[in-house]
Amino acid sequence: MTNDVVIVGAGPTGLVLASELALAGVHPIVLERLPEPTGLSKALALVGRSVDLLERRGLLERFPAVGPPVFAHFSMLPLDLAVVGDLGVRGIFLPQAQTEEILLARALELGVEIRRGQAVDGLEQDPDGVTLTVHGQPVRARYVVGCDGGSSTVRKLAGIGFPGIAPARLLRLADFTVPAGVAGEGHLDLPTGERLPYFISGVVPLRDGYFRVITNEPYPAGFDRDAPMTVEELQGSVQRATGVRLPITGTRWMSRFTDATRQADRYRAGRVLLAGDAAHIHLPAGGPGLNTGLLDAFNLGWKLAAELHGWAPEGLLDSYHTERHAEGARVLLHTRAQGALALPDERVASLRTVFAELLQDAATTRRLAGLLYSLDTRYDMGGGQTHPLVGRWSPEIDATHTAKPMLFGAKCPGWEDRVVTVPTGDPEAMLIRPDGYVAWAGSPDDGALEPALRRWFGRPSA
Ligand SMILES: Cc1cc2nc3c(=O)[nH]c(=O)nc-3n(C[C@H](O)[C@H](O)[C@H](O)COP(=O)(O)OP(=O)(O)OC[C@H]3O[C@@H](n4cnc5c(N)ncnc54)[C@H](O)[C@@H]3O)c2cc1C
């Protein structure tokens, strides 16, 4: 049996992509190597444009903690978002494991089939489809999307290059508990009398009684990253970073990560596509990973569904690479820059001071916020359109959004099987893609609406 789409990996990117495909009438299956979710969380928050998309899918009310960023920063230099007026940027302040639970529940409601304990270890493609191998058994699909994280097996098996910068820093992370009386207001009160302030020391209190510590040191030559991490290794690293010894009573998770920065050279190789960390890895500076992966998924879902339904115009699926590779490169750019600004070096300290001064300017803050939260995205919608809204995130319109293309304030005979039309009485009309970006805006008779409909949503039906 040939499946339409097989998604490899039930992380946040894979789950959102699966839901988007299901909403567009395609029923993907998801193969996940873990028998059960681990319950552990890399990310503690999801911030940026993808939150607006979750809202347009009617999902935001499922997340308990939504609001403006608690601490907006560029490499820990505070960004005063209040000075630039309301940018509308929001975050979901929830450990990744809980975010994934909500995304999983949604995918299951939409009828997505998730097969757990299925590690993909083989991939071959031909002109008609892709054959994956799981435990020696073939799984056939017309398209495969690798959402299988930074060391993506799909990416490697598809022969997609992953160029970038090798690690220069080694970061260690642990979620740990401390003895009673140590957790203070704003700091840990160590038994030695020393105080470890939250955030700037690398220690963050979590909601459930645990603390997270992250250290950042030069990457040691010849370091064996496969060696299991021990509490002693962590303690040594904390001591070098802060000069103190943590009074750890237990850990539930210890891990290492690096500042390696890499991006897939192609997001599409024939019938194989990549999304999320499988397509890009970077330092989690400011935590843009989830936002970027989810925006990949929202961009890809409707395009892949259009291809499978047979109405995709030429080049639609390739526009996924064009649009999202460029956006991914921007994320790599700012996370690398933030990593560089955090290096312990006197010259970098001067650079930080200069940067902090620049951040006093509202225009600089606005520009950086645009970069950090993907608010500045502008896709090329073609046709030389000059309307300022075209290519940008669509303004909020008082109407129910769907996961379909929407045309506000105009009619589109021939496309109404694909495009939802909404009368507005406004002289300005607007065509919005399912991922929320404006494909065309203007007067209904400006002659540019039909080319935009053809470019993004195919030929009119007879
Ligand atoms: C310390 C740290 C802190 C972070 N903090 C933040 C933050 O605050 N905010 C933020 O937005 N981002 C943060 N990130 C980044 C964020 O966690 C990732 O960007 C996010 O998990 C990527 O999601 P994904 O679905 O693309 O990949 P993953 O979450 O890696 O999911 C991939 C899935 O694929 C499965 N898989 C892998 N190989 C196979 C295979 N061969 N067959 C089948 N299944 C397979 C895996 O088991 C996994 O379930 C942080 C990262 C780190 C390391």
Side-chain angles (χ1 to χ4, degrees):
M1 173 197 164
T2 300
N3 301 284
D4 279 339
V5 182
V6 170
I7 295 170
V8 183
T13 306
L15 292 171
V16 169
L17 178 63
S19 293
E20 285 296 292
L21 286 164
L23 283 171
V26 171
H27 289 284
I29 63 166
V30 182
L31 303 179
E32 167 56 52
R33 80 174 159 199
L34 295 174
E36 291 299 330
T38 62
L40 298 171
S41 294
K42 289 186 281 189
L44 301 177
L46 156 59
V47 193
R49 182 61 80 207
S50 59
V51 175
D52 301 320
L53 261 158
L54 291 170
E55 182 172 46
R56 289 200 182 169
R57 296 292 185 264
L59 285 178
L60 212 50
E61 59 257 33
R62 300 189 186 196
F63 293 92
V66 180
V70 184
F71 173 51
H73 67 92
F74 191 80
S75 193
M76 300 305 274
L77 294 169
L79 283 186
D80 185 358
L81 297 184
V83 302
V84 292
D86 187 13
L87 292 174
V89 53
R90 287 175 296 175
I92 293 172
F93 301 97
L94 209 57
Q96 182 168 338
Q98 283 163 259
T99 295
E100 285 178 25
E101 270 174 34
I102 294 168
L103 298 175
L104 172 66
R106 164 71 159 181
L108 293 174
E109 279 162 31
L110 292 169
V112 171
E113 185 190 343
I114 299 185
R115 298 186 192 162
R116 294 197 162 272
Q118 308 277 301
V120 169
D121 58 11
L123 180 152
E124 273 184 33
Q125 61 170 318
D126 55 66
D128 300 322
V130 186
T131 305
L132 296 170
T133 315
V134 180
H135 306 311
Q137 296 298 313
V139 181
R140 179 91 179 146
R142 289 171 69 194
Y143 286 92
V144 163
V145 188
C147 298
D148 50 345
S151 37
S152 171
T153 302
V154 170
R155 185 185 69 230
K156 290 172 196 155
L157 292 173
I160 297 175
F162 203 42
I165 296 177
R169 310 288 301 174
L170 178 64
L171 293 93
R172 294 180 175 88
L173 170 153
D175 288 353
F176 65 97
T177 46
V178 293
V182 166
E185 256 322 296
H187 50 257
L188 290 182
D189 268 321
L190 305 185
T192 50
E194 291 148 304
R195 283 195 155 170
L196 215 46
Y198 297 149
F199 296 99
I200 56 169
S201 67
V203 173
V204 182
L206 304 178
R207 286 156 196 255
D208 54 359
Y210 275 79
F211 292 82
R212 172 165 292 185
V213 64
I214 297 182
T215 62
N216 178 344
E217 297 189 88
Y219 196 95
F223 185 76
D224 176 12
R225 270 189 78 185
D226 292 332
M229 190 165 145
T230 63
V231 174
E232 264 323 296
E233 178 186 335
L234 172 76
Q235 287 284 22
S237 183
V238 171
Q239 198 129 18
R240 288 189 294 276
T242 64
V244 303
R245 195 170 171 83
L246 284 176
I248 294 178
T249 50
T251 59
R252 67 177 168 202
W253 185 40
M254 291 192 290
S255 181
R256 309 182 189 99
F257 58 103
T258 76
D259 63 344
T261 305
R262 298 185 178 278
Q263 188 175 22
D265 55 17
R266 291 170 292 163
Y267 280 23
R268 177 183 183 194
R271 292 175 171 274
V272 178
L273 298 116
L274 299 177
D277 277 15
H280 35 74
I281 57 162
H282 48 79
L283 196 65
L290 289 175
N291 185 49
T292 314
L294 264 53
L295 290 172
D296 290 347
F298 283 118
N299 189 290
L300 176 59
W302 66 277
K303 294 175 179 174
L304 188 51
E307 194 70 37
L308 287 157
H309 290 313
W311 59 256
E314 206 184 319
L316 183 69
L317 197 50
D318 286 329
S319 75
Y320 168 64
H321 166 87
T322 313
E323 294 182 347
R324 294 308 304 163
H325 187 276
E327 286 298 303
R330 301 275 293 160
V331 176
L332 266 57
L333 175 76
H334 78 70
T335 49
R336 255 190 334 239
Q338 293 190 71
L341 272 177
L343 292 173
D345 179 292
E346 275 181 40
R347 283 155 295 194
V348 177
S350 305
L351 190 56
R352 280 183 83 80
T353 307
V354 172
F355 222 87
E357 284 181 20
L358 292 174
L359 290 181
Q360 303 303 312
D361 295 343
T364 313
T365 299
R366 174 182 288 276
R367 200 183 180 100
L368 272 186
L371 177 62
L372 290 174
Y373 306 124
S374 307
L375 308 177
D376 61 359
T377 300
R378 184 164 199 184
Y379 295 132
D380 178 6
M381 293 294 169
Q385 300 185 68
T386 54
H387 192 290
L389 280 179
V390 170
R392 298 232 180 253
W393 176 250
S394 51
E396 199 46 67
I397 290 177
D398 192 17
T400 310
H401 281 271
T402 71
K404 289 188 164 184
M406 298 192 77
L407 177 60
F408 291 91
K411 293 212 163 86
C412 57
W415 281 274
E416 277 163 357
D417 54 337
R418 277 152 281 166
V419 178
V420 176
T421 55
V422 183
T424 60
D426 196 320
E428 282 257 292
M430 189 164 49
L431 178 64
I432 304 179
R433 304 192 319 191
D435 59 348
Y437 287 86
V438 178
W440 164 86
S443 155
D445 47 18
D446 71 0
L449 173 57
E450 187 179 324
L453 285 161
R454 284 182 186 273
R455 180 184 174 104
W456 296 106
F457 310 120
R459 292 199 196 99
S461 45

